[in-house]
Amino acid sequence: MPRFAWFIVLILLLSGCGNPAPETEQFQVAEALGGASDAGFARATNPREFLFPQDHGPHPEFRNEWWYLTGNLHAEDGRDFAYQATLFRIALQPEPIDSPSAWRSNQIWMGHAALSDLQAGKHTAFERFARQGAGLAGAESLPLRVWLEDWQLQQAGGTGVWKLQIPTEEFDLRLELKPASPIILQGDNGLSQKSRTPGNASYYYSIPRLTANGALSYRGETLRVNGQSWLDREWSTSALGPDQQGWDWFSLQLNDGRNLMFYQLRRKDGSVDPLSAGSLSDERGLRQHLRPEMIRLTPLKYWVSGNRRYPIEWRLELEGEPHPWRVSTRLADQEMRLSVTYWEGAVEVRQESSGDLLGKGYLEMTGYD
């Protein structure tokens, strides 16, 4: 999933004067992602062997890394919610800082969390930053633990069950996540090429379906919730090319057991980059790699926020499917207004001709001009 731009923005925020860059500068990331300042970091250049559970943990030799969870939840009182919880690691330099101080670190962490109350039409987002020093944030492999202050993702020893806790000022989400599908290595056996330049790629895998059960404390109530979640793991050093501008990323969990991931990379001239890619999988694992010519995405309806437009309803035509799908949101305003601004929220999938509900999922977009 091409979420690599956030890291470059964060590096600019934290290595400068500490003040957020103007919005017009925040999306000028193509040059920074071209690899010119990547000396000393590892690059994703060839397929590698993945080892689990070790690879659920950190890869500090790469500049950027993230643990990304999204999901649709149903509460015991009948209400529907959706959430995003992400922990990002960013290395400011390749080597650890040689200092006796516990506060000195070459690693910075950022967290994004959001909750969509779909019946009430309310979307809330939060952001945190911390250095890795003094135990404020970090990641450990065996057993897995990734944390930013009291936001935490961990894996129960030997069970394969993930546990998520995200307390914020407006909600507190605690989930137990049990994998209901195999790990999917995206791209070329986990090597996900994002632009033509060698090394402008990531190592990328997904667990497309995790059964979620837990509790949501929200507006003075604590509700039991259940549903489906999606986990994406990705690490890289550089990715974008100079002719690339943005993306649309879909993760769809269909009622027939299939899972579709597709990211559409957009060029500055408005065309779709031929390195756009995805996968179609089921409970047995990977069924098909998806190339851009196998999917046709047509925006049908836009939502406008300031000078940004986001397509919140799409026609999706998938090779081999007899009928087009409609992918649309139940809540238009799921914009993440944080240090970087983007749209990320819950969507549903329906058959265009009949209106039958085919599944649910998540959509992430950078704004259109």
Side-chain angles (χ1 to χ4, degrees):
M1 161 177 17
R3 294 177 164 106
F4 29 77
W6 307 154
F7 296 100
I8 303 305
V9 174
L10 183 60
I11 290 168
L12 295 174
L13 294 177
L14 294 175
S15 62
C17 63
N19 297 317
E23 186 172 297
T24 55
E25 296 178 8
Q26 288 186 351
F27 287 96
Q28 302 298 320
V29 298
E31 292 82 2
L33 284 163
S37 60
D38 297 335
F41 289 105
R43 303 286 293 275
T45 55
N46 296 293
R48 67 187 292 274
E49 181 182 1
F50 285 75
L51 298 175
F52 297 105
Q54 293 92 326
D55 274 325
H56 294 322
H59 301 82
E61 66 273 22
F62 291 84
R63 186 169 63 178
N64 313 317
E65 186 163 19
W66 49 90
W67 292 255
Y68 223 109
L69 278 160
T70 54
N72 284 275
L73 302 173
H74 185 70
E76 58 189 344
D77 64 356
R79 283 184 283 173
D80 292 325
F81 297 88
Y83 80 94
Q84 174 202 351
T86 315
L87 295 170
F88 303 87
R89 178 193 62 78
I90 307 96
L92 299 179
Q93 65 181 49
E95 300 299 327
I97 295 174
D98 184 12
S99 170
S101 171
W103 293 95
R104 298 293 298 276
S105 175
N106 68 327
Q107 305 286 335
I108 297 294
W109 287 78
M110 175 172 71
H112 284 184
L115 182 74
S116 295
D117 181 342
L118 297 176
Q119 269 78 22
K122 179 178 173 59
H123 177 262
T124 306
F126 293 91
E127 181 177 59
R128 289 185 180 182
F129 300 96
R131 68 184 72 192
Q132 189 162 292
L136 295 176
E140 301 167 346
S141 291
L142 297 173
L144 175 72
R145 178 174 174 249
V146 188
W147 73 97
L148 200 172
E149 299 171 339
D150 57 356
W151 292 6
Q152 182 169 264
L153 177 66
Q154 58 184 337
Q155 200 173 33
T159 67
V161 176
W162 301 69
K163 292 187 176 181
L164 175 71
Q165 64 177 48
I166 301 290
T168 73
E169 291 87 337
E170 293 198 22
F171 66 87
D172 187 340
L173 182 62
R174 314 265 170 153
L175 294 177
E176 184 175 87
L177 304 163
K178 296 182 179 180
S181 64
I183 293 171
I184 302 300
L185 301 181
Q186 306 289 3
D188 179 8
N189 292 313
L191 178 67
S192 179
Q193 191 72 34
K194 299 301 197 303
S195 74
R196 293 185 180 87
T197 303
N200 278 8
S202 67
Y203 293 117
Y204 178 12
Y205 72 85
S206 307
I207 304 179
R209 200 173 291 238
L210 300 101
T211 301
N213 288 281
L216 171 64
S217 297
Y218 176 64
R219 294 187 171 182
E221 302 177 85
T222 297
L223 304 167
R224 298 299 304 176
V225 294
N226 62 78
Q228 295 286 343
S229 292
W230 182 298
L231 172 70
D232 265 350
R233 284 281 290 113
E234 202 162 358
W235 57 94
S236 67
T237 290
S238 62
L240 280 179
D243 60 340
Q244 295 171 313
Q245 185 176 52
W247 58 85
D248 312 294
W249 173 84
F250 297 79
S251 62
L252 307 178
Q253 297 159 323
L254 303 176
N255 296 339
D256 63 9
R258 292 181 298 168
N259 310 295
L260 183 146
M261 184 282 292
F262 191 78
Y263 57 82
Q264 176 174 263
L265 295 169
R266 305 195 308 268
R267 290 173 164 174
K268 292 179 180 179
D269 63 5
S271 64
V272 174
D273 194 288
L275 286 170
S276 302
S279 64
L280 188 65
S281 62
D282 61 14
E283 65 276 1
R284 295 168 296 176
L286 183 64
R287 291 184 57 191
Q288 190 174 28
H289 292 286
L290 298 177
R291 302 181 303 276
E293 65 270 19
M294 300 171 72
I295 285 187
R296 183 178 180 183
L297 291 165
T298 307
L300 300 175
K301 182 179 179 181
Y302 289 86
W303 177 76
V304 178
S305 175
N307 62 352
R308 291 175 294 272
R309 295 187 305 144
Y310 301 100
I312 57 169
E313 184 173 331
W314 296 78
R315 175 182 293 115
L316 190 157
E317 298 170 84
L318 176 63
E319 184 178 284
E321 287 293 312
H323 303 287
W325 302 345
R326 286 286 181 103
V327 181
S328 58
T329 181
R330 292 168 59 186
L331 177 58
D333 184 0
Q334 294 181 86
E335 188 178 47
M336 303 288 289
R337 302 181 186 96
L338 302 172
S339 293
V340 288
T341 301
Y342 59 106
W343 195 101
E344 178 139 17
V347 294
E348 61 182 19
V349 187
R350 294 185 179 271
Q351 185 173 302
E352 187 173 65
S353 57
S354 68
D356 292 343
L357 182 66
L358 301 179
K360 297 179 181 178
Y362 245 74
L363 169 62
E364 178 186 281
M365 301 176 287
T366 59
Y368 284 58
D369 294 333

